[in-house]
Amino acid sequence: MTPVSIDARPGIAGLTPDELVSWVEARGEPSYRARQIADAVWKDGGVTDAAGIRTLPAPLREALADAFRFDTVADTEIRLGDGGQTEKALHRLDDGALIESVLMHYPARGSSRERHTLCISSQAGCAVGCPFCATGELGAGRDLEVSEIVDQARHAQRRLALEDGRLTNVVFMGMGEPLLNLDRVLAGVEALNDPRRFGLGARHITVSTSGVVPGIRRLTALGPQFTLAISLHAARDALRDVLVPLNRRWPVAEVVAAARDHARSTGRRITYEATMIGGVNDTEADAAAMADLLRGDHAHVNLIPMNPVAHTPWSASPMSVIERFAATLRDAGISTTIRRNRGQEVGAACGQLAAERAGEPPVPAVARRRQRLEAESVRALRGERSGEPVPAGVGE
Ligand code: SAH
Ligand code: SF4
């Protein structure tokens, strides 16, 4: 393996405006220089190196270059899918960690304006280990820095700016569990939301969680910052224990109770997501259980056909089954949509490219994993709860 050289300079986009002012003032420069630097960092996705800030005197540009990195996701490879409508970016971070972001373009339709949505990562890997998720199979990775989180958005914005485009939505639905890296995710959201920095309205930011209850409660105390999405996948504990191993720590009733309190306290509707897996969580009984669980809530459900992922015994539910599932929820008065998945040919289920690069695990290990998942899901369908422990590193 080639050794990785680790750059100790922090990413400049992770600094708050006050921190930037302090840095400028500590160098004996007038504070308006901080404003000039911030403009250069944030406008149209910003500059990727200090030399590009022509408004500053040369010595200050050099000092900035010595102190900070202007792009922490510089080493990026892009794959296009859906006829150019989906752009999947694989970012190699400074320590060699791989993360992904996916930019999806939606043309204007009827009364709805053109949208450009970016799906970003909050961690490199994920300790939660949902078995249908490529990131989950990678296992625990590291938390991303604030700059690494927001630089994914700056990177996409620079690409969009080439065609006068503007990022309209950011969703934390890439790699990692955002609520297990909550301080940095909150600082990232603040930077994305701040009109003096990225300037994206709070209503245009969504954070998705697999159900870290203390994190949800902390968000509720802070008030509405963004749309909260909960990855539900199953309304019954036995099955959810298998699909979202975190459920063994915080069972579905606790997750939904926290989400309900969040909706009540912030006035914001909760989005629930369910990845639809053929013959596993798409039965009539599952639809009825989900309808019972969410009936009367200020909630919206998104049903998403499972993206094909290696090393699972499963695949997407047929569309007719998803439509029937949706009808059961709608009959219970729950607003429900079916989301078409994007970018299958570029492996747009986040974590897939990074998993590919991590290399193929040994054949017997893959066979054992498939058998275990098959057996666990069959047991779960009979209503038996899993005896497996809570994944290490989560839920303390
Ligand atoms: N960790 C957070 C956010 C990242 S995952 C969470 O789980 O909510 C974002 C979404 O992608 C989740 O709803 C997750 O269930 C979904 N997802 C993961 N793998 C998928 C796959 N193979 N097909 C479809 N959706 C998938
Ligand atoms: Fe982690 Fe979300 Fe993937 Fe589950 S679905 S393993 S929580 S990234």
Side-chain angles (χ1 to χ4, degrees):
M1 242 177 89
T2 38
V4 267
S5 66
I6 297 184
D7 192 330
R9 293 171 305 162
I12 193 151
L15 266 65
T16 62
D18 287 348
E19 286 167 338
L20 203 49
V21 167
S22 303
W23 184 85
V24 163
E25 287 179 349
R27 313 197 62 77
E29 295 278 350
S31 59
Y32 72 84
R33 293 288 185 206
R35 182 70 257 174
Q36 290 176 312
I37 297 167
D39 284 346
V41 167
W42 293 104
K43 188 170 180 322
D44 288 335
V47 293
T48 54
D49 96 46
I53 316 183
R54 310 312 300 180
T55 48
L56 302 181
L60 186 56
R61 289 202 297 262
E62 281 157 27
L64 274 170
D66 286 342
F68 302 108
R69 277 178 295 156
F70 277 70
D71 186 6
T72 57
V73 297
D75 190 357
T76 293
E77 181 192 314
I78 302 212
R79 282 198 203 172
L80 298 182
D82 298 325
Q85 294 298 89
T86 303
E87 298 177 30
K88 177 136 186 167
L90 180 69
H91 311 284
R92 184 183 302 276
L93 305 180
D94 188 55
D95 61 353
L98 291 171
I99 58 158
E100 298 169 22
S101 64
V102 185
L103 178 57
M104 291 160 282
H105 308 287
Y106 300 91
R109 255 208 348 226
S111 60
S112 68
R113 306 224 318 240
E114 176 185 71
R115 281 186 297 126
H116 304 283
T117 298
L118 183 70
C119 173
I120 63 174
S121 296
S122 57
Q123 297 180 308
C126 182
V128 178
C130 305
F132 55 86
C133 169
T135 308
E137 196 189 347
L138 285 175
R142 72 161 170 91
D143 291 338
L144 297 193
E145 299 295 338
V146 181
S147 53
E148 290 166 338
I149 292 172
V150 297
D151 279 353
Q152 296 169 65
R154 290 175 65 230
H155 195 282
Q157 180 52 48
R158 278 196 295 277
R159 276 148 45 214
L160 281 166
L162 297 175
E163 295 180 24
D164 290 328
R166 176 99 190 112
L167 200 60
T168 53
N169 300 76
V170 169
V171 298
F172 284 74
M173 293 187 185
M175 296 170 69
E177 170 46 59
L179 269 52
L180 292 177
N181 186 18
L182 191 49
D183 289 334
R184 295 186 184 93
V185 164
L186 283 172
V189 166
E190 196 180 308
L192 292 173
N193 187 220
D194 184 353
R196 293 169 305 165
R197 286 182 275 169
F198 202 83
L200 197 60
R203 288 186 181 276
H204 299 269
I205 303 174
T206 299
V207 175
S208 175
T209 179
S210 56
V212 182
V213 169
I216 299 172
R217 300 244 174 246
R218 202 177 136 198
L219 291 176
T220 307
L222 288 173
Q225 315 270 317
F226 42 70
T227 299
L228 184 63
I230 309 269
S231 292
L232 190 58
H233 307 310
R236 298 187 291 180
D237 280 320
L239 186 53
R240 200 166 185 274
D241 279 349
V242 177
L243 299 181
V244 188
L246 204 62
N247 195 71
R248 301 166 201 157
R249 173 70 181 83
W250 293 293
V252 68
E254 280 183 36
V255 175
V256 172
R260 217 169 258 152
D261 288 346
H262 187 82
R264 205 172 295 133
S265 151
T266 62
R268 300 284 296 272
R269 188 172 78 165
I270 301 285
T271 300
Y272 287 97
E273 318 230 76
T275 295
M276 302 304 288
I277 311 173
V280 174
N281 63 349
D282 61 355
T283 64
E284 288 283 334
D286 283 298
M290 200 174 284
D292 285 345
L293 183 68
L294 302 180
R295 189 175 276 117
D297 280 7
H298 190 33
H300 176 86
V301 177
N302 250 327
L303 302 177
I304 308 148
M306 179 187 157
N307 254 311
V309 165
H311 316 148
T312 77
W314 306 320
S315 55
S317 310
M319 202 38 90
S320 58
V321 172
I322 302 182
E323 273 159 10
R324 202 168 58 217
F325 198 102
T328 304
L329 294 177
R330 288 186 191 123
D331 285 347
I334 301 160
S335 113
T336 304
T337 45
I338 299 174
R339 202 163 74 197
R340 192 173 70 84
N341 31 16
R342 271 296 190 98
Q344 291 200 348
E345 76 269 34
V346 283
C350 251
Q352 274 180 279
L353 282 187
E356 226 172 271
R357 296 300 158 89
E360 193 58 23
V363 176
V366 170
R368 271 199 306 277
R369 175 180 154 87
R370 284 212 176 94
Q371 271 169 5
R372 178 177 58 78
L373 292 175
E374 192 98 67
E376 278 187 358
S377 57
V378 167
R379 259 201 318 274
L381 284 169
R382 287 201 302 260
E384 295 165 25
R385 288 200 70 176
S386 163
E388 295 291 318
V390 177
V394 298
E396 295 83 49

